[in-house]
Amino acid sequence: MLKAIHRTILLGWAVFFVSLAPANAQLFETSADTAYMIDAGTGSILFAKNEEKPVPPASLAKLMTMEVVFHALSIGRLSMDDTFYVSENAWRTGGAVSGGSTMFAEVKSEIRLEDLIQAVIVQSANDGCIIIAEGMAGSEENFARLMTERARKIGLENSVFRNSTGLPAEGQVVTMKDLARLALHIWKTYPQYYHYYSQTEFTWNKILQRNRNPLLRMDIGADGMKTGFTEESGYAIVGSVNREGRRIFVAMSGMKTDRQRAEEARKILDWGIRAFESKEIFKAGEIIGEADLYGGAKSGVALRAEGAVSILVPITNRDRLIARIVYDGPVDVPVEEGAPIGALKVWIGDTLSQETPLFAAESVGKGTLQQRAVDAIEELMIGWLRG
């Protein structure tokens, strides 16, 4: 039976220490109940806390609403000049009479899509969301199914949507891991629309409203994205900072007040920028390690990544960083050059920060009968020790 092999490796600079001890405490402490932070450039996970805990999304669901819209724009299904009808349902459920976030759309009027996008992003307009949902899918229920389907297609595994607004609905949940990955996806995939998240105000129906994201009013390089609140899970935020040549995204939930939300978001984003430095640990084509072979002409096969491998290293607590090659092995032969073998996994504290696929750097054929016999005896004797 093939078993997962974890091979701790020493990375290539003298001041870097790879810990052999198990990770325990986090490098950063936050009062948020659940949080997840990603570095956009390297894909490194800088922080994770209860990141897969399902919580009601509140207005953070509107990030997924906008992803569906941006996708439709990118494939030509919609244009910014398309107009959408304001139904009585949209006006009553999400408009001024509802008492929630609204753009004050007039019932039975028509509104350009670009104005609706700004209203949803800047003003968190519930009526704007429902107008879009009904215009694109005929009903909020149909649109919510589109949201969940798109979520799965872009790799969000644990979020389920029941409406376009994030208003309370049974079975509607998200995770901070999914939301941070969604934020990164929107920035990467739709750069032509991302600027709306840094827009500080929007006027509709002669009513000016300011963006509710407190990070935009701080001098920290913030340019997005969304806030939310539910009685069940407290105050939440998805934030983005672009500073000092780096961009990071964070999703947090479970704060007790809007002030605490702003302070915790600022604190973790500042830490994410200042507490790490980028290091290229392997150049393109450089051999990273070796995987054991079973019955091969050689005892092992050299491994490399597709390109250079860079990671973010904590400026302090470098002894809390662990790097391991992980694969199922010993690997059967023959092995063709370029075949996927395993991954280089890097932990920062107890957070799996980065995972880089590894591939065979050479082809290795079957060994002689004697070599295969030796491997069989060795596997019989020590294979059970692997885990």
Side-chain angles (χ1 to χ4, degrees):
M1 178 183 292
L2 295 181
K3 297 185 179 181
I5 294 178
H6 303 263
R7 177 171 291 161
T8 304
I9 63 172
L10 183 64
L11 302 183
W13 63 93
V15 296
F16 192 98
F17 176 77
V18 181
S19 173
L20 298 178
N24 38 54
Q26 288 277 9
L27 299 181
F28 180 85
E29 297 295 330
T30 178
S31 59
D33 180 55
T34 170
Y36 195 73
M37 186 161 63
I38 307 175
D39 177 79
T42 63
S44 298
I45 309 309
L46 305 182
F47 184 83
K49 177 184 178 182
N50 300 325
E51 69 275 15
E52 295 189 358
K53 178 182 177 180
V55 298
S59 286
L60 300 183
K62 290 163 184 166
L63 292 173
M64 195 68 230
T65 299
M66 287 295 97
E67 199 287 332
V68 174
V69 172
F70 294 156
H71 175 67
L73 285 165
S74 70
I75 63 175
R77 183 183 169 195
L78 293 177
S79 77
M80 285 292 196
D81 290 324
D82 286 345
T83 58
F84 287 72
Y85 180 74
V86 183
S87 70
E88 183 170 345
N89 174 63
W91 173 78
R92 192 172 300 280
T93 305
V97 296
S98 71
S101 304
T102 177
M103 68 180 295
F104 299 97
E106 295 181 0
V107 66
K108 298 183 180 180
S109 65
E110 291 193 350
I111 303 176
R112 287 177 68 248
L113 179 58
E114 185 172 17
D115 293 324
L116 289 168
I117 289 172
Q118 292 176 87
V120 171
I121 291 176
V122 179
Q123 300 173 342
S124 196
N126 291 329
D127 48 357
C129 289
I130 300 170
I131 293 164
I132 289 172
E134 292 178 342
M136 286 187 65
S139 70
E140 268 213 278
E141 183 180 1
N142 290 340
F143 187 82
R145 279 197 289 268
L146 285 179
M147 293 169 69
T148 302
E149 288 171 8
R150 280 293 301 163
R152 296 297 176 271
K153 285 182 180 178
I154 63 176
L156 311 187
E157 300 174 353
N158 299 305
S159 296
V160 178
F161 300 94
R162 302 298 188 203
N163 57 49
S164 63
T165 59
L167 290 171
E170 185 177 355
Q172 179 160 253
V173 293
V174 295
T175 67
M176 294 305 106
K177 180 177 181 179
D178 277 358
L179 287 179
R181 293 170 67 188
L182 172 59
L184 177 59
H185 164 81
I186 290 173
W187 171 74
K188 275 188 172 180
T189 311
Y190 313 112
Q192 66 272 41
Y193 307 125
Y194 188 78
H195 65 91
Y196 291 116
Y197 287 102
S198 62
Q199 187 172 327
T200 57
E201 60 186 40
F202 180 64
T203 299
W204 183 258
N205 203 14
K206 299 181 180 180
I207 300 172
L208 182 147
Q209 296 187 67
R210 290 183 169 81
N211 197 313
R212 302 183 181 195
N213 183 354
L215 298 176
L216 299 181
R217 297 185 288 276
M218 302 176 185
D219 186 23
I220 60 172
D223 58 4
M225 293 185 73
K226 196 77 193 71
T227 59
F229 169 76
T230 66
E231 292 288 347
E232 181 178 345
S233 59
Y235 290 83
I237 189 168
V238 174
S240 175
V241 160
N242 182 25
R243 199 172 88 213
E244 298 177 19
R246 289 179 51 215
R247 175 179 290 278
I248 55 178
F249 291 90
V250 68
M252 312 174 74
S253 179
M255 279 77 72
K256 295 179 180 179
T257 66
D258 56 353
R259 181 174 182 176
Q260 185 184 53
R261 171 176 61 191
E263 291 174 348
E264 289 297 299
R266 175 174 186 158
K267 184 172 68 173
I268 196 170
L269 287 166
D270 265 343
W271 174 78
I273 291 290
R274 293 171 176 167
F276 296 86
E277 60 180 342
S278 180
K279 290 286 186 181
E280 184 180 273
I281 57 174
F282 294 103
K283 299 183 182 299
E286 186 175 354
I287 300 303
I288 293 175
E290 189 177 82
D292 294 333
L293 294 179
Y294 180 78
K298 298 173 61 177
S299 62
V301 58
L303 303 177
R304 65 184 174 205
E306 282 190 328
V309 179
S310 295
I311 63 172
L312 288 176
V313 181
I315 293 173
T316 60
N317 301 106
R318 292 195 178 201
D319 60 323
R320 301 295 315 288
L321 199 143
I322 303 167
R324 289 182 179 141
I325 293 173
V326 179
Y327 64 97
D328 288 333
V331 178
D332 286 333
V333 292
V335 174
E336 296 294 328
E337 182 177 354
I341 299 295
L344 173 66
K345 295 187 177 183
V346 179
W347 285 263
I348 299 174
D350 55 3
T351 297
L352 177 57
S353 176
Q354 191 167 330
E355 187 169 348
T356 303
L358 297 180
F359 304 88
E362 57 186 335
S363 295
V364 181
K366 289 184 178 180
T368 65
L369 182 60
Q370 182 179 3
Q371 287 172 318
R372 295 199 299 272
V374 170
D375 284 351
I377 294 171
E378 181 179 322
E379 183 64 17
L380 182 65
M381 294 177 63
I382 69 171
W384 64 275
L385 293 172
R386 298 191 185 99

